[in-house]
């Protein structure tokens, strides 16, 4: 495994950005589709049919998203249906994914008062083989952004030029419903100018499944939103400068839904709370890199090593006031970090 994820840079109209993405990452896009086949254990024909059923919900985001998908299909030499499947892998298979530990800190918590936000990305290790960094520079007035994602997938964790960033934790204990998949939704979040705009996007579009999203912006805003098919609930931490989340519900509205589906979630949240408390007022990027390498509870620590077949394949720390996104390839304890200017 290389020390960094491949960087794919695209610009222009939505269609042109998709075409460039597909052409540059053609082999990885095809590899990603093969991984989806293996991961889900379902025929691709069925998955593509399920993806097409979700197309109207993606169209609700605006015409640019599906135009980019069409360009992706052209550039990668795959069908439009396959390109659409890349945008709704979990939803097409009805398979929730991941663990992850996320945070947003500012003010009294950090050494200089500025915002730090990010997460460890906990997934099956094969995902690392198709991971890319996607830098988009739209020509239609939408903000430029940098996203960690998988080849062919247009939305995931990242930050835009206004410092708006999104990070996520899987949530469980929900019933699938027709709605918008999360990867297109997360791309839409990176087209907003502040946290308030991002939260409004989440309120406006009903999702297929459940997810927690940790948000920040370049104006010092932070937010944590638990999203379910029936609606959204904003989580307020014990301190206004600290938002920490793992894989169980914390809001008053949705805590009754929790069935302890991922038993290691509560211990991980307790551990990151403890580590933040110990470094309160002194927290820097390097502090959070160390936190994300913590092994308490191994193999299901903040730095995950194979519990429930998942590993911390990557990590991210956003510094929105500086326009920097730090990205790590590999486990928190052994992976390589690099800072990217958005």
């Amino acid at each position: 495994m290389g020390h960094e994820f491949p960087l794919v840079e695209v610009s222009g109209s939505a269609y042109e950005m998709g075409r460039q993405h597909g052409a540059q990452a053609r082999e990885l896009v095809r590899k990603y589709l093969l991984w989806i086949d293996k991961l889900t254990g379902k025929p691709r024909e069925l998955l593509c049919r399920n993806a097409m059923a979700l197309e109207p919900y993606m169209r609700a985001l605006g015409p640019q998203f599906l135009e980019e998908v069409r360009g992706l299909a052209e550039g990668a030499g795959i069908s439009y249906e396959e390109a659409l499947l890349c945008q709704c892998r979990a939803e097409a298979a009805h398979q929730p994914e991941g663990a992850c530990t996320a945070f947003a800190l500012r003010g009294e918590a950090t050494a200089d008062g500025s915002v730090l936000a990010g997460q460890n990305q906990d997934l099956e290790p094969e995902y690392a083989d198709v991971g890319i960094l996607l830098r988009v520079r739209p020509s239609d007035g939408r903000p430029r952004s940098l996203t960690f994602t998988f080849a062919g997938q247009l939305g995931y964790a990242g930050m835009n030029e206004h410092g708006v960033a999104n990070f996520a934790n899987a949530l469980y204990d929900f019933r699938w419903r027709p709605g918008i998949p999360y990867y297109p939704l997360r791309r839409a979040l990176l087209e907003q100018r502040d946290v308030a705009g991002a939260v409004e996007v989440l309120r406006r579009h009903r999702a297929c499944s459940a997810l927690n999203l940790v948000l920040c912006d370049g104006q010092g805003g932070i937010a944590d939103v638990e999203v379910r098919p029936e609606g959204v609930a904003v989580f307020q931490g014990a301190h206004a400068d600290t938002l920490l989340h793992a894989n169980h519900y914390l809001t008053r509205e949705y805590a009754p839904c929790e069935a302890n589906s991922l038993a290691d979630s509560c211990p991980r949240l307790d551990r990151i709370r403890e580590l933040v408390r110990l470094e309160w007022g002194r927290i820097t990027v390097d502090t959070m890199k160390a936190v994300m390498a913590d092994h308490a509870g191994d193999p299901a620590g903040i730095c995950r090593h194979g519990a429930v077949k998942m590993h911390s394949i990557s990590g991210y720390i956003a510094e929105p006031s500086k326009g920097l996104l730090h990205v790590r390839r590999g486990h928190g304890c052994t992976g390589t970090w690099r800072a990217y200017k958005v």
Side-chain angles (χ1 to χ4, degrees):
M1 185 170 69
H3 295 306
E4 299 171 1
F5 291 104
L7 177 62
V8 175
E9 300 188 79
V10 302
S11 61
S13 68
Y15 184 87
E16 279 301 307
M17 290 194 300
R19 188 189 62 77
Q20 293 164 27
H21 176 173
Q24 290 180 54
R26 175 181 287 229
E27 294 308 313
L28 284 177
V29 172
R30 292 166 179 259
K31 190 173 183 178
Y32 183 38
L33 285 165
L34 288 172
W35 169 235
I36 293 172
D37 294 343
K38 181 180 178 181
L39 175 73
T40 64
K42 299 179 186 296
R44 190 176 299 180
E45 180 182 358
L46 171 63
L47 293 171
C48 286
R49 190 160 61 244
N50 292 346
M52 287 299 296
L54 297 172
E55 184 191 43
Y57 301 97
M58 299 187 223
R59 188 180 299 118
L61 290 174
Q64 298 99 328
F65 187 81
L66 292 181
E67 276 301 295
E68 197 166 339
V69 173
R70 294 186 189 281
L72 173 74
E74 172 69 22
I78 59 177
S79 70
Y80 173 71
E81 292 80 5
E82 289 173 319
L84 204 66
L85 172 59
C86 291
Q87 318 315 317
C88 56
R89 172 191 74 246
E91 291 85 357
H94 281 197
Q95 290 181 352
E97 63 172 27
C100 308
T101 311
F103 62 89
L105 307 164
R106 67 179 178 188
E108 294 180 12
T110 59
D112 62 2
S114 62
V115 171
L116 297 174
Q119 72 171 102
N120 261 354
Q121 187 79 61
D122 300 343
L123 290 168
E124 288 86 345
E126 290 88 345
Y127 279 102
D129 296 335
V130 291
I132 64 169
L133 287 167
L134 177 63
R135 176 174 278 137
V136 301
R137 295 187 176 93
S139 60
D140 55 14
R142 290 179 294 161
R144 66 181 183 273
S145 63
L146 179 66
T147 305
F148 170 84
T149 187
F150 307 109
Q153 186 173 295
L154 304 183
Y156 213 54
M159 184 169 73
N160 73 14
E161 65 180 283
H162 304 298
V164 174
N166 80 84
F167 305 102
N169 313 88
L171 292 173
Y172 297 84
D173 309 315
F174 63 89
R175 180 175 297 178
W176 293 92
R177 297 182 187 176
I180 191 165
Y182 277 111
Y183 316 127
L185 194 56
R186 295 182 72 181
R187 175 62 177 273
L189 297 179
L190 295 178
E191 296 174 357
Q192 308 309 306
R193 291 181 173 270
D194 54 30
V195 162
V199 173
E200 179 56 30
V201 168
L202 297 175
R203 293 189 187 280
R204 191 164 61 243
H205 297 281
R206 289 297 173 89
C208 290
S209 55
L211 192 74
N212 181 72
L213 286 156
V214 174
L215 310 168
C216 69
D217 64 32
Q219 302 169 40
I222 60 174
D224 186 298
V225 186
E226 294 180 349
V227 185
R228 286 175 57 88
E230 59 265 37
V232 304
V234 175
F235 169 61
Q236 304 290 341
H239 193 286
D241 290 336
T242 308
L243 293 170
L244 305 171
H245 211 290
N247 305 105
H248 57 283
Y249 297 99
L250 298 175
T251 60
R252 175 181 53 81
E253 294 90 335
Y254 296 144
C257 301
E258 183 61 44
N260 199 34
S261 292
L262 194 61
D264 60 71
S265 179
C266 289
R268 275 187 291 112
L269 182 59
D270 289 343
R271 179 59 175 166
I272 194 171
R273 285 172 173 168
E274 177 187 6
L275 294 174
V276 166
R277 184 172 60 252
L278 289 171
E279 296 296 330
W280 187 262
R282 302 186 300 271
I283 294 174
T284 65
V285 168
D286 286 340
T287 307
M288 294 314 297
K289 287 179 180 179
V291 168
M292 296 163 79
D294 185 78
H295 283 168
D298 194 53
I302 296 172
C303 183
R304 195 177 192 88
H305 281 259
V308 200
K309 299 182 180 179
M310 291 182 284
H311 289 257
S312 295
I313 65 163
S314 55
Y316 331 110
I317 302 173
E319 290 188 272
S321 65
K322 298 179 181 179
L324 290 177
L325 182 66
H326 303 261
V327 179
R328 186 195 74 236
R329 179 166 187 166
H331 293 97
C333 54
T334 59
T336 301
W337 288 92
R338 178 177 171 181
Y340 295 84
K341 188 72 175 177
V342 175

